[in-house]
Each structure stands twice: as structure tokens, then as C-alpha cells.
Amino acid sequence: MVRPCGLLTDQKKPVPLKSISVTLTISEFVAGVSATLNYENEEKVPLEVVFVFPVDEDSAVYSFEAMVDGKKIVAELQDKNEARTSYENAISQGHQAFLLEEDDSSRDVFCCNLGNLPPGSKAALSLKYVQELPLEADGALRYVLPAVLNPRYQLSGGPEGSCLTMKTPVVPVEDLSYTLSMDATITSQHGIERVQCNCPLSATEYLGDKTSAQISLADGHKFDRDVELLIYYREVHTPSVAVEMGKPATKPDCLMGDPSAMVSFYPNIPEAQSPITCGEFIFLMDRSGSMGCPMSNQDKSQLRIEAAKETLIWLLKSLPIGCYFNIYGFGSSYEAFFQNSVKYTQDTMEEALRRVKLMQADLGGTEILAPLKNIYSAASIPGHPLQLFVFTDGEVDDTFSVIREVKSNGLRHRCFSFGIGEGASTSLIKGIARVSGGTAEFITGEERMQSKALRALKRSLQPVVEDVSLGWNLPPGLAAKMLSPEPTVIFRGQRLIIYAQLTGKMPPAESTGEVCLKYTLQGKSFENKVIFSLQPKFDANFTVHRLAAKSFLQTKDMGFTDTPANDKKDVLKVSIECGVISSHTAFIAINKDLNKPVQGPLVHRDIPRPALCYSAIPALAGGGPANHSALGFGLMKCMSPAKPRPLRGGALAMASAHFSINLTNLETNHTDDHLVQLISLQNADGSWCLSEGLAVVLGMSLEDILAALPIKGADSSGWATVLAVLWLHDNCKDMKCEWELLERKAVAWIHTHAGSVMHALVKAAVDFLKSSADPAIFAP
């Protein structure tokens, strides 16, 4: 199943889109967005059009309206089945009608039907939503304006989506007829350090001691990529509680009638000195045809599959000795490196590396459900909890089925998910991480997959935070009703956001409340407290209430067809009361004020859509001809030609022998990336052997390195390992997050195998390499 993007006719014929204008307001870590898409029917016949667009999974969409020929039509949120019936009845009677619904199978795809757009009419479709902004590792808050909606492959036996396959002519991106504008206002009481964007900006204006900033996209921008902002505040780790006033004239027992509280914690969890060395680590890697696309639109951008292979090498080298692991590749079918997870040794690591080098983007579509079920069907390994790492460009059609499968196994594992490239499904990537207590990351533009994957691996190796609880100390007569799930997993360096409904009698304005987060780590108890004012503030958009409702809906809403009956009742109640759309509700508006019903049959027209790049459309292995559609508002997806699948049986041995030659070439200067080369040479136990490949990385001859060995007859591996660690610090210090774990293994190996001569080796190595690294890096 492929989902197009943009305003399309019911037969998937585009309607001219003139411009897209976005007004963005960011206050601290919350964004409010108003997006307007301006269209014009230049034909002489009436049209029914369908607007399909991506929205981030965490967005609470609470308003939809249309301005048609100067008349404003505001939609009402209703039960989805009733809204659909009302829309069909209105259209059949010649009335103008609008229907906005969240896709039945995915939270990040929306569809709007505009029925009976008369000839010569102009339509401006506007929606509003609010969302939390995720916190990046470097302290930045990240806002993404989604532009890219990749094709979604239909799962075998999965439900039909609301949008059908379409094929339209494509044109070069420079021939686009529509424009994008975005104006943003950013405010923070702590001050703004800087704002970065992946697209050209006009001049950024800072106001009031840099507590406010105004930015705009530069003229001439086209929707050829997601627009990403990175906002750096002077202080982002301050715990806070925001209390928002309820909606006047609303019954107090409903969510909108009572005040709501938004609590943000930044737990100061210490890094464990002795990370865990057990665990079963399974890496599930997307090998669908789309993984043959570049990571970004930048020149010489690395292919997704190549970045994925490099990342797997990093991960394999960083695993602890004694754990278990396996690697799966999936597309229309799936393949596992080993029949069952195997113990991590030098032999199993080398075998896995050989298979990684053979991986290609050759498995067709994106059907992730089957390999997940296979992984979960295997017996658990006693003493080795399962840690699942999922890498995909996120093009699964029925994301709710996948999320349900992960959730049903949530108690036995954690899932760390990674969305690769523009347009990865935020619903899939965030959903599977949320229901399993893991984390979600997105890799776009020039970001390195390796750094984000290794950060997640490091988190998975930290001891589990236990006994997490949240306690409230409020005045008599006032209680906090949790709207978010009780926190059970907390990772070091993460922000924790919790929503609650304050019920009962609000105390006098000067009163305060207290909320306390408690947890245990390695037998030690910790707590974080925040004292806050109980004087609620008024917000016309009811931002905290909408976000609280969204948090509740994400917990209960598991899709249009499969949400349990009791949960569906709660979903409908909260969704309609708070005006936040769900998979069970839809916005509906009917314009009955026209002088007469629109006359004549609806007619459809195609207009060309832009292509990001030109490539032969391949036949996908196992999946038949490729279905392609727009990236964003009409951008053609680029896929590499399908390649032969990896050989099996005896042929695999021949392929492995061929690979051994390639690996030898890699280790002897047939690559420009010395970091990749050095990491490829490391052994599973953390050591390096003194070899020609290492000499190439160090830029010295093997003879000179041997001659500099300070203790004649000493094990050359200890000497080689010390030299390799120093080289990392001298040459790749800014990428430490990527090699920190494998360095930790190397230092531990040195203490075990070269402890008596370590100081002599380190001193000699520092002099030999003229290293600026502090010898203290070898401390235990």
C-alpha cells in the first residue's frame, strides 16, 4: 500500500497547490503549529479532493477548518463512523463538506476529504496542533515540520488503508509550482543560546536579552525535505510544573473542566561504574529496497544500507564478552544470521561481520511483523534479558499491528528503535519504543547512525532503574489523577514528562504543591522533588490539556479496528471532550449556506509531481513491481535496483571466501576511513593484534612499531591495543560517543593481560605517537 501526499482527487489526481504557510510558536519545550495549504480549482468543473499529509506521532491535532471563497467553515469532532456517514450524505445532496481523519492504521498519517469544490473556487485548509519537543543528546530541542511521507507497504493480510495506490507524472523538483513559508517565534525564560535549521533561514532576530527569537525560512524553499529546527536554550535541565486552568462552563468531572498539570523531570541518574555484561542483543535491520536510497539529498550522501552496515560493525565490536546476540534482515521476507542467538565470541563475531558485509537492500517491501513474531517465539535465555534494536526507514502500512505485537511482549524486553532517513514513520518508531520501555531515535540529513545506535547500546548496558514511583503532596481536598502511564523505565540523560488532572477544590492562590519522583539504582535510593504554584494559568489553546489528552490516547488507542471495547469507550470520551483527534474520531463540517447545491458530476485531473532523483524503478525481490509515491507533497521516492539475495548453503561458503578477500583489502588500506578500518581490526575481547592494517592506520611501518616495543619479548597485542586507544583519543575525540564502549573493553583487556607492564607500555606509546592524550585514560 502506498500513501501519496498533498491535495489529490478521489482518483488520486492532483489539484494545483499554490502555497503552504506555517506559523510556529515554541515556548520552552512545547510547539504550537498552525498550517495553511492554499489551493485553487482552475478547472471548469467541480471537484472532490483528498488531502493526505504527515504529522508527527506526538502531535495533538485539535482544530481543522476551511476558508472557501471567503467563507470560514469550522469542523466538529465526532465519532468516525458517524462523521463518515454525514459526509457521504452531504456530498450526495450536492452540499460542500469536509472530513478530516487520522488513518485507521497509523497515527502519523491524516486524510482530509473536501467534497464539491466549485469551478474557480479557492480553498485554504488549516489545521492546528501542539506537541512536545524531544530532547537531543547535546541538549537541543528538536522540532520537525514533516514534509516527507514515504510509501507504506501493506502487511500480508493487513487491513486496507484509506488511500489507494496512485501513479502520476513526475517533474524535476525545480519545476514545483508551489512554495513553502514558515515563520517561527521561540521563547524561553532561561534564554536562547542559538537556533539551527537544516534549511536556509532569513536573518534570525533575538529579542529581550535573547529570551525570544523570530526566524523565517528563506524565500524559495521547496518541500523537498522535512524542515528541522534545533533550539539550544541556556538551560534545559530545570524541573518544572505547569498548571493550566480548565475550560470555563465545562462540567468539572471531565478532563477539560479541571486544571491539568504538566510535570517535567530531568533525573540526575549517575553513570554506573560497572555496566552489565549480560543480555541477549538482537539487531533487526531493514533490508527493503528503499534502504538503497541515500541518507539525505546532500551530494555524496551515504546510502542507508551502507550506513546501516557500518553501524552494525560498531555495535558488534562494542558488545560485552559473555552476552548473546543475533542479527535479522527483513523486507518482504526475513533472514537471521544464526538459527538462535549465539554467545558472543571471536568466532561468532567474525561470522557475523562476514554476513554484515554481504547485506544488501534486496528483500523487497517492509514487513516487520513476521520477524518480530519469530524473535518473540524463541525461549528466553536465563540471566540474559532481551534487548531489541530495530532499524528501519519506517514504511509499514499497519503500524498498530506492529505496536500491539511489541506491547504484548513488553514485559520481557526493551525495544530501541531507529528511523532512518526522511519520512520514517514516527508512529511506528516512537510507538514500539514507548510500549516496551525503550527509546526512539531519528537519523536524517548528515546525522550519523553510529552515534545514536551506540548511545542506545550504552543505555541498554546500564543497570535497570527500579522501584520508580511518583508521589504528590497537595492541600486537603485536592488530588492528582494520572493521565500518563506510571513511569517504569528511566534512562540517564533523559527527560521525563508526566500529565495529571487536578480534581477537587482548588486552594487559595498562594498555595503550593509538591511532586516527588523516587527510584532505586544498584541498591541506592534517589528522589527528585519540585515545589510548584497551584495558581492555574489560562491558555486559550488549552495546550497542557490537549497534550494530556494525547498522552492518554497514546496509551489506550490501538487503532480503529483493534482497540479493546472498554478502551475504545474511554478513547471516544476523552477525544471528543478535549477536541483531540484519535483513530476513532474525525472532524466533520458541512456547508449548507451555498445558494444552491453544486451541480454536475465531479471531475478529476492529474498534474505532474516532482522527483527528487531519477532511477529505474525496480522489481522488488519477493514483492512484485515496486509501488512508488510521493515524498512529502508529491516527491517521488528513489530506490536502487534490486540485487541478488545472499547465497545459501554451499554457495554461502564461496561468498564467504570472496568476502574474506574483501575484508583483507579493507584491513590493508583499501578505505579512506581509518576509524572504520581501526574498529574493523578490533577483536571481540577488546584487544588489537599488531598487523599491517594497524600500521596503516597509525601511519607507520610495522617494523618501526615493533622496534619501539619497550619491553622485548612482551606480548605485541598489549602494545598494539595501547597504541590503538591513544590513536582514538588523538584523532577521533569528537566521535567518542561512537567508540567509548569498545575503548572500555580495550582498557579492561589491558588491565587483565598487560597489567604488570601497562605503565611502561603507555609511557612508551605516548612518546612514540607524540600523543597529547592523558595517560589517565587507562585508569581502571
Side-chain angles (χ1 to χ4, degrees):
M1 172 65 68
V2 177
R3 302 202 180 284
C5 195
L7 191 64
L8 316 168
T9 70
D10 191 48
Q11 299 300 318
K12 307 301 164 279
K13 310 294 185 181
V15 169
L17 171 61
K18 301 304 181 183
S19 64
I20 303 169
S21 58
V22 176
T23 302
L24 169 66
T25 303
I26 296 176
S27 177
E28 305 301 350
F29 53 85
V30 174
V33 182
S34 176
T36 301
L37 297 101
N38 299 295
Y39 298 91
E40 182 177 0
N41 180 4
E42 298 176 315
E43 303 293 330
K44 297 180 180 180
V45 290
L47 296 172
E48 178 179 17
V49 293
V50 178
F51 170 44
V52 182
F53 58 97
V55 171
D56 189 280
E57 137 90 5
D58 289 332
S59 301
V61 178
Y62 66 89
S63 172
F64 184 78
E65 60 187 38
M67 185 73 72
V68 181
D69 297 329
K71 178 178 176 55
K72 183 178 180 180
I73 306 166
V74 179
E76 176 186 350
L77 194 62
Q78 298 180 1
D79 177 283
K80 182 181 280 189
N81 286 326
E82 294 175 4
R84 286 173 171 173
T85 300
S86 297
Y87 173 81
E88 293 298 334
N89 290 339
I91 293 303
S92 65
Q93 296 170 24
H95 294 301
Q96 198 169 65
F98 305 85
L99 179 71
L100 174 70
E101 52 186 320
E102 180 181 286
D103 190 78
D104 289 351
S105 303
S106 186
R107 287 193 184 101
D108 62 347
V109 178
F110 279 70
C111 185
C112 173
N113 291 59
L114 165 56
N116 286 322
L117 182 64
S121 289
K122 294 181 179 181
L125 309 179
S126 299
L127 66 144
K128 295 179 181 179
Y129 61 88
V130 290
Q131 69 178 98
E132 302 165 8
L133 299 186
L135 183 66
E136 297 292 295
D138 64 353
L141 290 167
R142 184 177 198 155
Y143 168 74
V144 178
L145 177 64
V148 176
L149 184 61
N150 286 339
R152 302 289 172 94
Y153 289 89
Q154 179 74 45
L155 291 172
S156 297
E160 288 295 322
S162 61
C163 302
L164 303 177
T165 303
M166 76 167 207
K167 296 179 181 178
T168 56
V170 295
V171 298
V173 67
E174 59 268 19
D175 291 345
L176 281 176
S177 60
Y178 53 83
T179 61
L180 169 69
S181 63
M182 185 183 79
D183 296 304
T185 301
I186 304 165
T187 58
S188 172
Q189 62 179 337
H190 303 293
I192 302 167
E193 192 173 283
R194 66 186 187 277
V195 179
Q196 295 176 194
C197 184
N198 68 330
C199 303
L201 296 176
S202 59
T204 301
E205 182 180 1
Y206 293 98
L207 308 171
D209 194 29
K210 295 191 76 172
T211 57
S212 177
Q214 293 181 344
I215 65 171
S216 299
L217 280 181
D219 292 340
H221 178 84
K222 299 291 181 68
F223 246 50
D224 59 346
R225 71 191 76 174
D226 290 344
V227 179
E228 296 183 358
L229 292 179
L230 293 176
I231 302 117
Y232 294 84
Y233 294 142
R234 290 172 185 162
E235 175 59 60
V236 294
H237 295 101
T238 304
S240 64
V241 179
V243 180
E244 183 179 87
M245 188 182 298
K247 194 173 185 178
T250 305
K251 55 183 181 180
D253 60 332
C254 78
L255 196 159
M256 290 298 289
D258 290 323
S260 287
M262 180 183 191
V263 184
S264 60
F265 278 113
Y266 300 84
N268 186 22
I269 300 174
E271 184 171 4
Q273 295 303 308
S274 302
I276 59 177
T277 57
C278 59
E280 179 188 9
F281 299 88
I282 295 183
F283 305 106
L284 181 57
M285 183 62 70
D286 193 339
R287 285 176 51 192
S288 62
S290 56
M291 287 291 287
C293 290
M295 286 291 295
S296 74
N297 300 328
Q298 306 297 318
D299 290 340
K300 299 181 181 179
S301 177
Q302 190 177 29
L303 296 183
R304 295 176 185 178
I305 190 65
E306 294 304 321
K309 289 160 69 171
E310 225 174 77
T311 300
L312 284 174
I313 294 173
W314 258 248
L315 290 166
L316 285 170
K317 296 290 185 174
S318 301
L319 289 176
I321 288 288
C323 73
Y324 287 77
F325 79 100
N326 203 350
I327 297 175
Y328 282 71
F330 73 94
S332 297
S333 58
Y334 67 90
E335 299 173 352
F337 280 20
F338 307 99
Q339 185 172 354
N340 298 296
S341 293
V342 295
K343 197 164 187 177
Y344 180 71
T345 65
Q346 183 67 23
D347 289 342
T348 56
M349 183 195 73
E350 288 181 352
E351 173 61 20
L353 287 173
R354 284 194 289 271
R355 298 290 298 272
V356 166
K357 295 295 181 179
L358 292 171
M359 286 175 55
Q360 299 177 51
D362 59 357
L363 290 185
T366 310
E367 298 204 21
I368 194 175
L369 197 56
L372 281 174
K373 289 182 176 180
N374 181 267
I375 291 168
Y376 295 141
S377 68
S380 299
I381 302 175
H384 293 271
L386 175 61
Q387 311 270 18
L388 178 61
F389 293 72
V390 177
F391 299 83
T392 179
D393 52 12
E395 299 171 5
V396 180
D397 183 71
D398 187 10
T399 59
F400 282 118
S401 294
V402 179
I403 293 170
R404 280 194 301 273
E405 183 66 25
V406 175
K407 184 178 182 179
S408 66
N409 292 277
L411 295 179
R412 58 171 291 203
H413 85 303
R414 288 186 294 187
C415 178
F416 300 87
S417 55
F418 303 85
I420 302 171
E422 305 282 359
S425 169
T426 59
S427 182
L428 175 70
I429 302 303
K430 292 183 178 182
I432 59 178
R434 182 177 56 250
V435 298
S436 63
T439 59
E441 298 277 5
F442 292 87
I443 304 109
T444 59
E446 298 180 356
E447 292 178 318
R448 283 177 62 82
M449 192 184 305
Q450 295 89 328
S451 61
K452 296 200 172 185
L454 268 296
R455 183 164 63 243
L457 179 61
K458 185 178 179 182
R459 283 173 173 163
S460 74
L461 291 170
Q462 289 289 305
V464 176
V465 173
E466 300 176 309
D467 303 323
V468 182
S469 65
L470 195 71
W472 296 80
N473 184 9
L474 301 172
L478 187 65
K481 178 184 177 182
M482 294 292 292
L483 297 171
S484 307
E486 289 284 352
T488 57
V489 179
I490 309 175
F491 292 103
R492 186 172 183 268
Q494 273 197 313
R495 179 186 62 196
L496 181 65
I497 295 179
I498 300 151
Y499 295 95
Q501 179 182 355
L502 300 181
T503 61
K505 184 179 180 181
M506 291 299 291
E510 65 274 6
S511 299
T512 60
E514 180 184 271
V515 59
C516 181
L517 176 70
K518 296 181 179 180
Y519 54 92
T520 302
L521 178 66
Q522 293 183 306
K524 295 182 179 180
S525 297
F526 298 86
E527 64 178 38
N528 294 168
K529 292 182 179 180
V530 183
I531 297 175
F532 60 96
S533 169
L534 282 171
Q535 179 64 28
K537 295 182 179 179
F538 175 74
D539 178 354
N541 293 324
F542 297 97
T543 300
V544 173
H545 284 77
R546 314 279 195 198
L547 291 173
K550 182 66 177 182
S551 178
F552 178 86
L553 294 172
Q554 285 178 321
T555 304
K556 297 281 190 177
D557 189 355
M558 294 305 293
F560 182 67
T561 58
D562 293 303
T563 301
N566 288 339
D567 288 343
K568 180 180 177 180
K569 181 180 178 181
D570 292 338
V571 166
L572 281 169
K573 180 177 184 294
V574 170
S575 177
I576 292 175
E577 282 182 355
C578 299
V580 176
I581 201 167
S582 70
S583 69
H584 298 278
T585 52
F587 282 104
I588 176 70
I590 300 173
N591 180 15
K592 296 183 178 180
D593 294 337
L594 294 176
N595 293 331
K596 59 180 180 179
V598 176
Q599 302 295 317
L602 303 184
V603 180
H604 315 289
R605 292 285 185 268
D606 276 336
I607 61 171
R609 298 181 300 119
L612 287 180
C613 56
Y614 294 98
S615 173
I617 296 180
L620 298 178
N627 270 331
H628 292 278
S629 180
L631 285 182
F633 293 88
L635 300 179
M636 175 62 75
K637 186 169 185 64
C638 168
M639 298 179 71
S640 62
K643 300 192 176 108
R645 296 191 183 194
L647 303 175
R648 300 179 183 271
L652 179 59
M654 294 176 62
S656 297
H658 174 68
F659 169 74
S660 296
I661 298 173
N662 291 340
L663 183 60
T664 302
N665 290 340
L666 173 66
E667 294 170 353
T668 54
N669 201 31
H670 282 71
T671 174
D672 293 330
D673 192 336
H674 282 174
L675 177 60
V676 176
Q677 190 175 355
L678 182 69
I679 291 176
S680 296
L681 291 167
Q682 190 185 31
N683 297 316
D685 60 9
S687 67
W688 272 267
C689 295
L690 192 54
S691 65
E692 191 66 46
L694 179 61
V696 168
V697 174
L698 298 178
M700 299 180 179
S701 71
L702 188 58
E703 293 76 12
D704 289 344
I705 297 173
L706 282 168
L709 182 61
I711 303 169
K712 304 308 176 186
D715 180 10
S716 62
S717 292
W719 177 234
T721 304
V722 171
L723 291 171
V725 171
L726 287 173
W727 186 92
L728 286 171
H729 280 270
D730 286 335
N731 295 276
C732 302
K733 196 170 185 177
D734 60 338
M735 300 169 69
K736 185 177 180 180
C737 63
E738 297 185 13
W739 49 260
E740 185 177 8
L741 291 177
L742 57 90
E743 180 216 20
R744 186 180 293 171
K745 281 205 303 183
V747 171
W749 183 90
I750 291 169
H751 279 272
T752 302
H753 294 84
S756 60
V757 297
M758 185 188 71
H759 294 296
L761 291 176
V762 171
K763 184 178 185 304
V766 169
D767 293 339
F768 179 63
L769 294 178
K770 297 180 175 57
S771 173
S772 60
D774 185 349
I777 62 177
F778 293 96

